[in-house]
Amino acid sequence: MRKWIWKTSNDIDKRNKWSIKFNKKIFFLLIVILLVAGGIGLAKSGVFNQGLDKDKYTILEAGVNISKINVKGEVKSEKATGVYASTYSDANPIIKEVKVEIGDKVKVGDTLATLDTNKLESDIKVLETTIATTDAANASELKSAKATYDNALALSSDKNNENIKNAATDVNAAKLDYDNKKDLYEKNKILHDSGAITDQEFKQYEISYENAKDTYDKVTVSLNNVKAKVKLDLTVAKNNYDQAKAKVSDNSKKITLENYKKDLQNATITSPVDGVVSLKNASVGNPVSGELFEIKDENNVTITVDVKDVDIEKIKEGQRAQIKADSSYDKSIAGEVVSINSIAKAENNSSLNLNNDSNDKEATFEVKIRAKDTDSKLKIGMKAQADIIVDEKDNVYKVPTESMIKNKDNNYCIYIAEKQGKDYVVKELQITRGTETDSKTEIYGDNIKDGVIMLNSPGDYELGSVIKINEK
């Protein structure tokens, strides 16, 4: 059974009014959508285009494309000179005064420190007195020894030595007597053997001969003893003379004195070079030990930088670099790569880092860059950064990377504005990409040339649309 529902005229009027309001909302929404879509279309078709300003397009112009690697590092001296105390006679000289601090500039000969010389000065005085006394005694001894030696040398001659002459005279007399007695003895022995004389007579000749022989032997021994003594006296005198000369020639104490005096001069420790004090191990009251100071040459500095392993193969000695440091006030300083360490820097494993995988750490290599300007005002210890020029190309076109777009064939292209009459038409120009540097990319193509107008934001345009360009 159909159920009838009765509605009053008020209900019908309410429904009609709501329907009318709803339809109006839809109508106005459609109008807004059409206006927006139409506006976009008109903008792209150039209907509302009042002309593109210069920030919307780029006029291509060939230039130099520089590929560079930015690195950071520190200004370091290439020459450091260690300063030590000279060899010192006193095993433990004490530092009396220190004249410089780290960072001080010094010149050759400037005093860095002084040593306590009180004991040394006392030792010099004592040694000078000892040397004077010893020299006088040695000179007197030498004079006496020489006189004794000269006399012994003169007496060593048989002609000049009376004792030798007397002993020789005795020997000659005894020899003559001995020869005579021997001759008589031998003749009478023949007579005795033939019975011409008696035993008693022969015995007298025999005794006389033996006494003469004994006397001759004794005086001969005496002469030899005299000569032996003369020779011994000469040897002793010569030895004493040589020893006296050696004492006079002994300069050991004088050498020690000279060393002491050198120590006195070396007690003032001076800088051997011009530079800046970079290390100080000298303290007042402490003994001298090892390297006391280090002086760095501030006129021979390099910027030592770390280059990542992915870039190190691009770096070569002699490459240009542009340096910036605090002292340059943002002005670039010309430089060049002077050395490349072929071994990666050792990692600092002194502390354990559980958050990082050590295998993920990128190796770095030490590279040194020298400023070409000797008056660059780079200071040792300054932080600096440098752009190492790894490649330079002439006649290259570079565009912002965001200016490139892929076409329907998935090839890279740029949008250009080609002049037609008073207006311009948006066209596509296929390109080949080159090296990317920072935010720009090299582009190549048959139709890439100076004067081509490239649209910076290709997504804002439709191919074939007509646009205007404000050339003012």
Side-chain angles (χ1 to χ4, degrees), residues 5-21:
I5 300 175
W6 296 98
K7 294 185 178 180
T8 65
S9 59
N10 289 335
D11 292 332
I12 294 173
D13 291 340
K14 287 180 180 179
R15 185 182 66 179
N16 291 336
K17 289 180 181 180
W18 179 88
S19 176
I20 291 171
K21 289 181 180 179

Side-chain angles (χ1 to χ4, degrees), residues 430-453:
Q430 189 167 316
I431 60 166
T432 300
R433 292 193 308 164
T435 304
E436 293 187 16
T437 58
D438 299 332
S439 61
K440 293 191 176 182
T441 303
E442 296 175 8
I443 61 171
Y444 303 93
D446 295 337
N447 296 314
I448 300 297
K449 59 184 178 180
D450 286 358
V452 171
I453 300 175

